[in-house]
Amino acid sequence: MNGVEGKTTHFGFRTVDEGQKAGLVEDVFTSVASRYDVMNDLMSVGIHRAWKAAMMDWLAPSAGQHLLDVAGGTGDVAFRFLARSPTAQATVLDLTEGMLASGRARAEAASLGDRLTWVQGDAMALPFPDAHFDVYTISFGIRNVTRIDAALTEAYRVLKRGGRLMVLEFSQIPNLALQWAYDRYSFNVIPALGQAVTGDRDSYQYLVESIRRFPDQDAFAAMIGTAGFGRVAYRNLTMGVAALHSGWKI
Ligand SMILES: C[S@@+](CC[C@H](N)C(=O)[O-])C[C@H]1O[C@@H](n2cnc3c(N)ncnc32)[C@H](O)[C@@H]1O
């Protein structure tokens, strides 16, 4: 059960029942899973790699930590985390089996053995005990979740005291002229590129619409605080096209 009957939410610019959204999101990612990594590089002209490197720099993975990477998709964040800390472990959780299958098929997965685990599940109801992980990450995932507050509450629950949350997500550019230019690129180029590479324009139309619906940096920082996290801070990436948010379970 993903939502309360009768309550609505947004799916891109559409309004849908809360209970419908997870299925629609899963359809999007099932459709793009096999071309997901190549599309990421094309759409962002490789910049998502620099953003994920910035995420690792701020996280500074340390020895023996256990990471939970929610909405982990094809494993990008988990692979980077494990590369930086050779004694760490990671669990990748994602709603979409096709995304996990693409991740398991990646060359990096083969050498990691039992340091890396793949789990199908929902960010709003994590199948893990309380106080289990040292680090919780979610990268370009939380804007797809039906109830962001429920996902943050779950993040808080599964982290150990002293554990760290880090969110990488598209954000809002605090400059109107740049936002205008970025919107032109997003709405004109990305759906057409999606059509050319994956044969699926609608999924990439959803992607750009969902970015515009996501709260701005300060509003999202406030949501993280409301979920119980302390020392909440954020850093803009590429002038606010994306942002990293950090919080601690104190
Ligand atoms: C844009 S991809 C991000 C993948 C990866 N984290 C990255 O940074 O490349 C978004 C992922 O969120 C997953 N997702 C969406 N809603 C979810 C939910 N409620 N719980 C878990 N995963 C979810 C999708 O299946 C998809 O794999």
Side-chain angles (χ1 to χ4, degrees):
M1 177 89 176
N2 289 324
V4 178
E5 207 179 322
K7 273 201 170 182
T8 58
T9 186
H10 50 80
F11 175 73
F13 290 165
R14 283 166 58 194
T15 299
V16 299
D17 286 339
E18 274 199 351
Q20 270 183 292
K21 178 160 169 166
L24 292 168
V25 167
E26 200 176 343
D27 289 347
V28 163
F29 289 102
T30 299
S31 162
V32 303
S34 63
R35 308 289 284 158
Y36 176 80
D37 291 318
V38 74
M39 261 307 278
N40 250 359
D41 279 334
L42 287 173
M43 275 186 312
S44 73
V45 281
I47 292 171
H48 77 102
R49 293 170 182 261
W51 293 341
K52 286 169 181 161
M55 183 184 205
M56 290 304 131
D57 289 345
W58 199 9
L59 263 184
S62 57
Q65 285 185 322
H66 191 172
L67 165 73
L68 173 63
D69 183 39
V70 171
T74 60
D76 250 15
V77 167
F79 292 140
R80 283 174 167 77
F81 191 91
L82 294 177
R84 293 223 188 180
S85 177
T87 56
Q89 301 175 59
T91 300
V92 175
L93 175 133
D94 200 280
L95 190 66
T96 309
E97 184 49 47
M99 291 290 282
L100 295 170
S102 293
R104 280 192 290 259
R106 281 173 62 167
E108 297 99 312
S111 59
L112 288 166
D114 59 9
R115 292 178 64 206
L116 180 59
T117 311
W118 305 86
V119 177
Q120 203 264 333
D122 191 326
M124 297 190 298
L126 296 173
F128 307 112
D130 297 355
H132 194 65
F133 296 97
D134 303 292
V135 182
Y136 173 111
T137 51
I138 183 163
S139 156
F140 302 116
I142 202 155
R143 73 173 190 286
N144 299 294
V145 173
T146 308
R147 281 180 288 116
I148 294 171
D149 55 347
L152 291 172
T153 300
E154 277 292 84
Y156 190 85
R157 180 183 68 76
V158 300
L159 276 171
K160 295 176 187 164
R161 205 150 289 280
R164 177 122 186 240
L165 163 91
M166 193 166 287
V167 184
L168 172 59
E169 190 49 271
F170 291 108
S171 203
Q172 308 301 334
I173 305 174
N175 173 307
L176 287 179
L178 277 176
Q179 183 69 59
W180 183 87
Y182 177 62
D183 279 351
R184 299 285 81 68
Y185 168 74
S186 304
F187 285 95
N188 294 322
V189 176
I190 291 178
L193 198 60
Q195 173 66 38
V197 177
T198 68
D200 179 355
R201 184 188 185 88
D202 291 350
S203 290
Y204 286 91
Q205 182 70 28
Y206 160 73
L207 172 85
V208 292
E209 291 178 2
S210 66
I211 292 169
R212 297 302 278 122
R213 296 298 304 248
F214 193 69
D216 68 23
Q217 288 83 332
D218 290 320
F220 185 51
M223 292 176 82
I224 293 173
T226 301
F229 290 94
R231 291 166 56 199
V232 178
Y234 68 80
R235 294 179 179 177
N236 281 340
L237 301 170
T238 317
M239 295 168 299
V241 171
L244 280 170
H245 281 76
S246 166
W248 295 83
K249 181 167 173 176
I250 298 167

